Amino acid sequence: MRWLKPLIGIALAPAALAAVWATGAALGPALGKFSATAPLLGGAVAGLLLHGLGRGRRLYVTAHELTHALAAVLSGVKVRRISVKKSSGYVLLDSTNAFISLAPYFIPFYTLAVSAAFWTAGRFWPVSPYRPWFLAAAGFTLAFHLLHTADILTGPVQSDLRKAGGAVFSLPLLVLLNCLGLAAALRLLFPGLLSLRAWWGGMLEAQAAAYAAVAGAALYVFNTAKIYLRT
């Protein structure tokens, strides 16, 4: 059954590409409403600048390994040890699964931490005046997560991906999950700017078009091959 996950990954590839297109089409206009999104975008630019300077590697490794550990706890797997160094780390577990292996690549650890802290503070104190700072922190941490994740996934194939079922399976799945996460994050941060129903509908429409294009191309190749085989 080792072929099953690669086959699923190949089947998911058109859906992943369509999800990127649909997510960009939905998020672009929403983020363009600068009167609301300026703090978020400012934080994202700061994250981009930090990344461009080559800073924050150890912070990312820390989040990466802690997310592995959190996913393990949620999966009922015992965490034996967590090791974090400047540019690498590992988590020693009793066992693993695809969720544990891939969790750091689609769960923005610091964004969740900042959001949890802001929400908790809001239970006890008035935090509305600090919302722009929260949005800036959310933008910074989202950019931090996405940029470092992109760096890792575009480099040598990680052992995490091999454990989850291979790069062919993992990469399309991670693209889909990150698109979903971005849409959900924007919806939660700015409820009035994005309709998840509209985003979902647009994504399904784009995916249907992508699969139709693949089917059309496959049919063309098949018919062309038949012609050449008959001659």
Side-chain angles (χ1 to χ4, degrees):
M1 296 292 286
R2 294 180 63 181
W3 52 268
L4 181 58
K5 283 188 175 180
L7 189 62
I8 292 173
I10 293 170
L12 285 176
L17 293 174
V20 172
W21 175 269
T23 302
L27 267 60
L31 291 173
K33 297 178 180 178
F34 299 120
S35 59
T37 62
L40 181 80
L41 295 175
V45 170
L48 178 61
L49 292 175
L50 180 72
H51 186 76
L53 293 172
R55 304 287 184 175
R57 176 66 180 177
R58 185 162 192 153
L59 282 174
Y60 176 75
V61 173
T62 301
H64 187 100
E65 304 308 336
L66 287 176
T67 307
H68 276 312
L70 176 61
V73 171
L74 293 175
S75 300
V77 174
K78 187 172 183 178
V79 179
R80 296 286 184 178
R81 183 180 179 186
I82 301 175
S83 174
V84 175
K85 298 181 181 179
K86 184 176 181 180
S87 59
S88 64
Y90 67 88
V91 177
L92 186 61
L93 307 171
D94 280 354
S95 62
T96 190
N97 56 42
F99 171 60
I100 295 172
S101 296
L102 298 181
Y105 303 97
F106 69 91
I107 296 177
F109 181 86
Y110 290 125
T111 306
L112 292 182
V114 166
S115 300
F118 187 75
W119 181 86
T120 302
R123 301 304 94 192
F124 302 98
W125 302 285
V127 295
S128 296
Y130 303 100
R131 177 172 165 78
W133 292 102
F134 162 64
L135 292 175
F140 180 88
T141 53
L142 279 172
F144 183 88
H145 163 75
L146 291 172
L147 291 168
H148 280 279
T149 298
D151 273 353
I152 290 181
L153 294 181
T154 54
V157 176
Q158 297 293 304
S159 60
D160 291 334
L161 273 61
R162 289 194 290 268
K163 292 175 185 176
V168 174
F169 167 74
S170 301
L171 290 175
L173 180 60
L174 288 173
V175 169
L176 284 168
L177 290 171
N178 276 288
C179 286
L180 174 60
L182 278 175
L186 191 61
R187 171 65 179 176
L188 291 172
L189 292 171
F190 306 102
L193 295 187
L194 179 69
S195 166
L196 281 182
R197 179 177 295 181
W199 168 79
W200 184 260
M203 185 179 68
L204 291 180
E205 184 178 342
Q207 289 173 341
Y211 282 113
V214 170
L219 183 61
Y220 174 80
V221 170
F222 177 74
N223 289 333
T224 302
K226 283 201 305 183
I227 293 172
Y228 279 101
L229 289 173
R230 288 174 180 174
T231 58

